[in-house]
Amino acid sequence: MAGLGGWRARRAWVSCRDGAPAIRIDLDWIGLRLVRDDPRRPLYRQLAQIVREASGPALRGRLPTERQWASGLRLARVTVRKALDELAREGVIERRQGAGTFLRPVRPA
């Protein structure tokens, strides 16, 4: 999959309630990239960086819930929430209350 920084995640498109596609992310692959014993780089920053690198103009849709991220990566929900908060501030993702979290398409510079 081009534009994903070497990410060879398994993806499947599934329709959700509002018709937007849902992204299935290979959490095993992300879990292998997280360095859990490096105190200089918090896990939430590492997770945010991985999602940032994975986003691209062709990739958009609904992301897994905080609970799914946390259980799949064996992280605390607060860690996932901090990563998603950082991405929302940067405009990489969009959160819609009651609808979910969506990856925003990257606009070419």
PDB file of all heavy atoms in Angstrom, residues 45-68:
ATOM      1  N   ARG A  45       2.918   9.351  22.445  1.00  0.00           N
ATOM      2  CA  ARG A  45       3.587  10.059  21.343  1.00  0.00           C
ATOM      3  C   ARG A  45       3.984   9.082  20.241  1.00  0.00           C
ATOM      4  O   ARG A  45       3.920   9.398  19.057  1.00  0.00           O
ATOM      5  CB  ARG A  45       4.825  10.789  21.856  1.00  0.00           C
ATOM      6  CG  ARG A  45       4.498  11.987  22.687  1.00  0.00           C
ATOM      7  CD  ARG A  45       4.946  13.249  21.958  1.00  0.00           C
ATOM      8  NE  ARG A  45       4.332  14.418  22.529  1.00  0.00           N
ATOM      9  CZ  ARG A  45       4.938  15.246  23.374  1.00  0.00           C
ATOM     10  NH1 ARG A  45       6.162  15.011  23.748  1.00  0.00           N
ATOM     11  NH2 ARG A  45       4.296  16.297  23.822  1.00  0.00           N
ATOM     12  N   GLN A  46       4.443   7.883  20.630  1.00  0.00           N
ATOM     13  CA  GLN A  46       4.805   6.864  19.640  1.00  0.00           C
ATOM     14  C   GLN A  46       3.577   6.451  18.830  1.00  0.00           C
ATOM     15  O   GLN A  46       3.637   6.341  17.604  1.00  0.00           O
ATOM     16  CB  GLN A  46       5.403   5.640  20.329  1.00  0.00           C
ATOM     17  CG  GLN A  46       6.748   5.893  20.981  1.00  0.00           C
ATOM     18  CD  GLN A  46       7.251   4.641  21.675  1.00  0.00           C
ATOM     19  OE1 GLN A  46       7.221   3.557  21.102  1.00  0.00           O
ATOM     20  NE2 GLN A  46       7.707   4.789  22.900  1.00  0.00           N
ATOM     21  N   LEU A  47       2.450   6.229  19.529  1.00  0.00           N
ATOM     22  CA  LEU A  47       1.220   5.825  18.854  1.00  0.00           C
ATOM     23  C   LEU A  47       0.749   6.930  17.902  1.00  0.00           C
ATOM     24  O   LEU A  47       0.379   6.657  16.754  1.00  0.00           O
ATOM     25  CB  LEU A  47       0.134   5.497  19.878  1.00  0.00           C
ATOM     26  CG  LEU A  47      -1.211   5.062  19.320  1.00  0.00           C
ATOM     27  CD1 LEU A  47      -1.077   3.858  18.411  1.00  0.00           C
ATOM     28  CD2 LEU A  47      -2.182   4.783  20.456  1.00  0.00           C
ATOM     29  N   ALA A  48       0.799   8.172  18.347  1.00  0.00           N
ATOM     30  CA  ALA A  48       0.401   9.290  17.491  1.00  0.00           C
ATOM     31  C   ALA A  48       1.287   9.352  16.244  1.00  0.00           C
ATOM     32  O   ALA A  48       0.796   9.573  15.135  1.00  0.00           O
ATOM     33  CB  ALA A  48       0.471  10.600  18.266  1.00  0.00           C
ATOM     34  N   GLN A  49       2.583   9.125  16.407  1.00  0.00           N
ATOM     35  CA  GLN A  49       3.508   9.159  15.270  1.00  0.00           C
ATOM     36  C   GLN A  49       3.207   8.049  14.262  1.00  0.00           C
ATOM     37  O   GLN A  49       3.237   8.271  13.053  1.00  0.00           O
ATOM     38  CB  GLN A  49       4.967   9.051  15.752  1.00  0.00           C
ATOM     39  CG  GLN A  49       5.993   9.159  14.648  1.00  0.00           C
ATOM     40  CD  GLN A  49       5.931  10.495  13.910  1.00  0.00           C
ATOM     41  OE1 GLN A  49       5.667  11.531  14.515  1.00  0.00           O
ATOM     42  NE2 GLN A  49       6.158  10.460  12.616  1.00  0.00           N
ATOM     43  N   ILE A  50       2.877   6.868  14.756  1.00  0.00           N
ATOM     44  CA  ILE A  50       2.548   5.748  13.863  1.00  0.00           C
ATOM     45  C   ILE A  50       1.302   6.073  13.039  1.00  0.00           C
ATOM     46  O   ILE A  50       1.265   5.853  11.830  1.00  0.00           O
ATOM     47  CB  ILE A  50       2.367   4.446  14.669  1.00  0.00           C
ATOM     48  CG1 ILE A  50       3.720   3.992  15.238  1.00  0.00           C
ATOM     49  CG2 ILE A  50       1.750   3.351  13.806  1.00  0.00           C
ATOM     50  CD1 ILE A  50       3.615   2.902  16.283  1.00  0.00           C
ATOM     51  N   VAL A  51       0.279   6.627  13.680  1.00  0.00           N
ATOM     52  CA  VAL A  51      -0.948   6.980  12.955  1.00  0.00           C
ATOM     53  C   VAL A  51      -0.660   8.104  11.969  1.00  0.00           C
ATOM     54  O   VAL A  51      -1.144   8.093  10.835  1.00  0.00           O
ATOM     55  CB  VAL A  51      -2.077   7.365  13.934  1.00  0.00           C
ATOM     56  CG1 VAL A  51      -3.296   7.878  13.197  1.00  0.00           C
ATOM     57  CG2 VAL A  51      -2.452   6.169  14.807  1.00  0.00           C
ATOM     58  N   ARG A  52       0.153   9.077  12.377  1.00  0.00           N
ATOM     59  CA  ARG A  52       0.541  10.183  11.495  1.00  0.00           C
ATOM     60  C   ARG A  52       1.217   9.651  10.236  1.00  0.00           C
ATOM     61  O   ARG A  52       0.915  10.069   9.126  1.00  0.00           O
ATOM     62  CB  ARG A  52       1.518  11.093  12.240  1.00  0.00           C
ATOM     63  CG  ARG A  52       1.223  12.532  12.142  1.00  0.00           C
ATOM     64  CD  ARG A  52       2.227  13.361  12.921  1.00  0.00           C
ATOM     65  NE  ARG A  52       1.762  13.648  14.259  1.00  0.00           N
ATOM     66  CZ  ARG A  52       2.315  13.191  15.383  1.00  0.00           C
ATOM     67  NH1 ARG A  52       3.383  12.438  15.353  1.00  0.00           N
ATOM     68  NH2 ARG A  52       1.820  13.501  16.545  1.00  0.00           N
ATOM     69  N   GLU A  53       2.152   8.714  10.414  1.00  0.00           N
ATOM     70  CA  GLU A  53       2.873   8.135   9.279  1.00  0.00           C
ATOM     71  C   GLU A  53       1.950   7.317   8.392  1.00  0.00           C
ATOM     72  O   GLU A  53       2.177   7.208   7.189  1.00  0.00           O
ATOM     73  CB  GLU A  53       4.014   7.246   9.780  1.00  0.00           C
ATOM     74  CG  GLU A  53       5.153   8.008  10.412  1.00  0.00           C
ATOM     75  CD  GLU A  53       6.156   7.090  11.097  1.00  0.00           C
ATOM     76  OE1 GLU A  53       5.979   5.845  11.058  1.00  0.00           O
ATOM     77  OE2 GLU A  53       7.112   7.620  11.682  1.00  0.00           O
ATOM     78  N   ALA A  54       0.932   6.710   8.978  1.00  0.00           N
ATOM     79  CA  ALA A  54       0.028   5.841   8.220  1.00  0.00           C
ATOM     80  C   ALA A  54      -0.995   6.628   7.417  1.00  0.00           C
ATOM     81  O   ALA A  54      -1.552   6.118   6.470  1.00  0.00           O
ATOM     82  CB  ALA A  54      -0.687   4.878   9.159  1.00  0.00           C
ATOM     83  N   SER A  55      -1.243   7.880   7.792  1.00  0.00           N
ATOM     84  CA  SER A  55      -2.257   8.651   7.083  1.00  0.00           C
ATOM     85  C   SER A  55      -1.717   9.098   5.732  1.00  0.00           C
ATOM     86  O   SER A  55      -0.531   9.319   5.559  1.00  0.00           O
ATOM     87  CB  SER A  55      -2.697   9.852   7.917  1.00  0.00           C
ATOM     88  OG  SER A  55      -1.628  10.739   8.103  1.00  0.00           O
ATOM     89  N   GLY A  56      -2.597   9.184   4.792  1.00  0.00           N
ATOM     90  CA  GLY A  56      -2.217   9.592   3.442  1.00  0.00           C
ATOM     91  C   GLY A  56      -3.445  10.054   2.689  1.00  0.00           C
ATOM     92  O   GLY A  56      -4.560   9.941   3.189  1.00  0.00           O
ATOM     93  N   PRO A  57      -3.274  10.576   1.483  1.00  0.00           N
ATOM     94  CA  PRO A  57      -4.420  11.107   0.745  1.00  0.00           C
ATOM     95  C   PRO A  57      -5.465  10.047   0.403  1.00  0.00           C
ATOM     96  O   PRO A  57      -6.641  10.355   0.316  1.00  0.00           O
ATOM     97  CB  PRO A  57      -3.804  11.705  -0.512  1.00  0.00           C
ATOM     98  CG  PRO A  57      -2.416  11.198  -0.584  1.00  0.00           C
ATOM     99  CD  PRO A  57      -2.028  10.729   0.779  1.00  0.00           C
ATOM    100  N   ALA A  58      -5.054   8.802   0.223  1.00  0.00           N
ATOM    101  CA  ALA A  58      -6.007   7.759  -0.167  1.00  0.00           C
ATOM    102  C   ALA A  58      -6.630   7.062   1.036  1.00  0.00           C
ATOM    103  O   ALA A  58      -7.608   6.346   0.887  1.00  0.00           O
ATOM    104  CB  ALA A  58      -5.301   6.723  -1.038  1.00  0.00           C
ATOM    105  N   LEU A  59      -6.078   7.262   2.215  1.00  0.00           N
ATOM    106  CA  LEU A  59      -6.553   6.543   3.396  1.00  0.00           C
ATOM    107  C   LEU A  59      -7.404   7.463   4.244  1.00  0.00           C
ATOM    108  O   LEU A  59      -6.932   8.477   4.740  1.00  0.00           O
ATOM    109  CB  LEU A  59      -5.362   6.035   4.212  1.00  0.00           C
ATOM    110  CG  LEU A  59      -5.691   5.140   5.398  1.00  0.00           C
ATOM    111  CD1 LEU A  59      -6.342   3.849   4.915  1.00  0.00           C
ATOM    112  CD2 LEU A  59      -4.450   4.823   6.183  1.00  0.00           C
ATOM    113  N   ARG A  60      -8.660   7.122   4.363  1.00  0.00           N
ATOM    114  CA  ARG A  60      -9.547   7.877   5.236  1.00  0.00           C
ATOM    115  C   ARG A  60     -10.673   6.968   5.660  1.00  0.00           C
ATOM    116  O   ARG A  60     -10.926   5.945   5.041  1.00  0.00           O
ATOM    117  CB  ARG A  60     -10.067   9.128   4.560  1.00  0.00           C
ATOM    118  CG  ARG A  60     -10.886   8.866   3.335  1.00  0.00           C
ATOM    119  CD  ARG A  60     -11.253  10.158   2.700  1.00  0.00           C
ATOM    120  NE  ARG A  60     -12.278   9.943   1.700  1.00  0.00           N
ATOM    121  CZ  ARG A  60     -12.692  10.869   0.891  1.00  0.00           C
ATOM    122  NH1 ARG A  60     -12.191  12.060   0.957  1.00  0.00           N
ATOM    123  NH2 ARG A  60     -13.620  10.612   0.013  1.00  0.00           N
ATOM    124  N   GLY A  61     -11.330   7.340   6.713  1.00  0.00           N
ATOM    125  CA  GLY A  61     -12.430   6.547   7.217  1.00  0.00           C
ATOM    126  C   GLY A  61     -12.445   6.529   8.722  1.00  0.00           C
ATOM    127  O   GLY A  61     -11.716   7.266   9.382  1.00  0.00           O
ATOM    128  N   ARG A  62     -13.273   5.687   9.264  1.00  0.00           N
ATOM    129  CA  ARG A  62     -13.492   5.602  10.697  1.00  0.00           C
ATOM    130  C   ARG A  62     -12.413   4.745  11.349  1.00  0.00           C
ATOM    131  O   ARG A  62     -12.120   3.644  10.886  1.00  0.00           O
ATOM    132  CB  ARG A  62     -14.862   4.992  10.934  1.00  0.00           C
ATOM    133  CG  ARG A  62     -15.298   4.990  12.345  1.00  0.00           C
ATOM    134  CD  ARG A  62     -16.695   4.430  12.413  1.00  0.00           C
ATOM    135  NE  ARG A  62     -17.196   4.509  13.751  1.00  0.00           N
ATOM    136  CZ  ARG A  62     -18.400   4.144  14.092  1.00  0.00           C
ATOM    137  NH1 ARG A  62     -19.227   3.676  13.176  1.00  0.00           N
ATOM    138  NH2 ARG A  62     -18.789   4.239  15.324  1.00  0.00           N
ATOM    139  N   LEU A  63     -11.848   5.263  12.433  1.00  0.00           N
ATOM    140  CA  LEU A  63     -10.828   4.533  13.195  1.00  0.00           C
ATOM    141  C   LEU A  63     -11.489   3.678  14.269  1.00  0.00           C
ATOM    142  O   LEU A  63     -12.628   3.934  14.654  1.00  0.00           O
ATOM    143  CB  LEU A  63      -9.862   5.526  13.852  1.00  0.00           C
ATOM    144  CG  LEU A  63      -8.946   6.288  12.910  1.00  0.00           C
ATOM    145  CD1 LEU A  63      -8.199   7.374  13.673  1.00  0.00           C
ATOM    146  CD2 LEU A  63      -7.969   5.358  12.236  1.00  0.00           C
ATOM    147  N   PRO A  64     -10.761   2.706  14.789  1.00  0.00           N
ATOM    148  CA  PRO A  64     -11.298   1.918  15.907  1.00  0.00           C
ATOM    149  C   PRO A  64     -11.573   2.820  17.113  1.00  0.00           C
ATOM    150  O   PRO A  64     -11.027   3.917  17.231  1.00  0.00           O
ATOM    151  CB  PRO A  64     -10.173   0.926  16.226  1.00  0.00           C
ATOM    152  CG  PRO A  64      -9.347   0.862  14.995  1.00  0.00           C
ATOM    153  CD  PRO A  64      -9.455   2.207  14.350  1.00  0.00           C
ATOM    154  N   THR A  65     -12.391   2.326  18.031  1.00  0.00           N
ATOM    155  CA  THR A  65     -12.696   3.083  19.244  1.00  0.00           C
ATOM    156  C   THR A  65     -11.489   3.074  20.183  1.00  0.00           C
ATOM    157  O   THR A  65     -10.579   2.251  20.035  1.00  0.00           O
ATOM    158  CB  THR A  65     -13.885   2.456  19.992  1.00  0.00           C
ATOM    159  OG1 THR A  65     -13.508   1.147  20.428  1.00  0.00           O
ATOM    160  CG2 THR A  65     -15.126   2.374  19.107  1.00  0.00           C
ATOM    161  N   GLU A  66     -11.492   3.978  21.155  1.00  0.00           N
ATOM    162  CA  GLU A  66     -10.421   4.013  22.162  1.00  0.00           C
ATOM    163  C   GLU A  66     -10.297   2.667  22.850  1.00  0.00           C
ATOM    164  O   GLU A  66      -9.204   2.178  23.092  1.00  0.00           O
ATOM    165  CB  GLU A  66     -10.711   5.076  23.223  1.00  0.00           C
ATOM    166  CG  GLU A  66     -10.520   6.478  22.760  1.00  0.00           C
ATOM    167  CD  GLU A  66     -10.863   7.492  23.837  1.00  0.00           C
ATOM    168  OE1 GLU A  66     -11.146   7.108  24.994  1.00  0.00           O
ATOM    169  OE2 GLU A  66     -10.832   8.695  23.522  1.00  0.00           O
ATOM    170  N   ARG A  67     -11.432   2.067  23.164  1.00  0.00           N
ATOM    171  CA  ARG A  67     -11.435   0.772  23.863  1.00  0.00           C
ATOM    172  C   ARG A  67     -10.801  -0.315  23.003  1.00  0.00           C
ATOM    173  O   ARG A  67     -10.045  -1.149  23.498  1.00  0.00           O
ATOM    174  CB  ARG A  67     -12.867   0.420  24.236  1.00  0.00           C
ATOM    175  CG  ARG A  67     -12.972  -0.648  25.281  1.00  0.00           C
ATOM    176  CD  ARG A  67     -14.377  -0.782  25.817  1.00  0.00           C
ATOM    177  NE  ARG A  67     -14.507   0.106  26.966  1.00  0.00           N
ATOM    178  CZ  ARG A  67     -15.589   0.785  27.271  1.00  0.00           C
ATOM    179  NH1 ARG A  67     -16.659   0.698  26.512  1.00  0.00           N
ATOM    180  NH2 ARG A  67     -15.631   1.554  28.327  1.00  0.00           N
ATOM    181  N   GLN A  68     -11.086  -0.310  21.695  1.00  0.00           N
ATOM    182  CA  GLN A  68     -10.494  -1.303  20.793  1.00  0.00           C
ATOM    183  C   GLN A  68      -8.986  -1.113  20.676  1.00  0.00           C
ATOM    184  O   GLN A  68      -8.240  -2.082  20.671  1.00  0.00           O
ATOM    185  CB  GLN A  68     -11.147  -1.220  19.413  1.00  0.00           C
ATOM    186  CG  GLN A  68     -12.570  -1.720  19.387  1.00  0.00           C
ATOM    187  CD  GLN A  68     -13.273  -1.387  18.089  1.00  0.00           C
ATOM    188  OE1 GLN A  68     -12.993  -0.366  17.436  1.00  0.00           O
ATOM    189  NE2 GLN A  68     -14.218  -2.230  17.702  1.00  0.00           N
TER     190      GLN A  68
END
